[in-house]
Amino acid sequence: MGIAEVLTIVFVVLKLTDVIAWSWWVVLLPAILSFSLYVIVVVIKLMMVLIAVIAVKRREKKVDQ
């Protein structure tokens, strides 16, 4: 469990016990940021794989000629 998940749980408990009066989007912000960062990393990795596949296909095409 990372710090974002721990913070989210702590903030939700504090919100449900009326210790804090923040809006729900602020309470869930650590989880939202963590998920967003994960999605960005996955997209970048997929783009790197796609670029590598395109480069290999171009290299194979040049060798065949």
Side-chain angles (χ1 to χ4, degrees), residues 43-58:
V43 167
I44 290 172
K45 286 184 178 184
L46 287 174
M47 287 173 46
M48 291 172 62
V49 168
L50 180 64
I51 290 169
V53 168
I54 290 171
V56 167
K57 287 190 179 206
R58 283 186 182 172

Side-chain angles (χ1 to χ4, degrees), residues 16 26 48 57 64:
L16 292 175
V26 175
M48 291 172 62
K57 287 190 179 206
D64 289 341

Side-chain angles (χ1 to χ4, degrees), residues 3 8 10 35 47-49 51 55 62-63:
I3 190 163
T8 302
V10 169
F35 179 74
M47 287 173 46
M48 291 172 62
V49 168
I51 290 169
K62 285 182 180 179
V63 171

Side-chain angles (χ1 to χ4, degrees), residues 1-2 11 22 28 30 44 52-53 64:
M1 207 176 208
F11 290 164
W22 302 344
L28 297 174
I44 290 172
V53 168
D64 289 341

Side-chain angles (χ1 to χ4, degrees), residues 2-12 22 24-37:
I3 190 163
E5 291 85 5
V6 172
L7 277 176
T8 302
I9 291 170
V10 169
F11 290 164
V12 167
W22 302 344
W24 277 105
W25 76 268
V26 175
V27 171
L28 297 174
L29 192 59
I32 294 168
L33 291 176
S34 176
F35 179 74
S36 299
L37 182 62

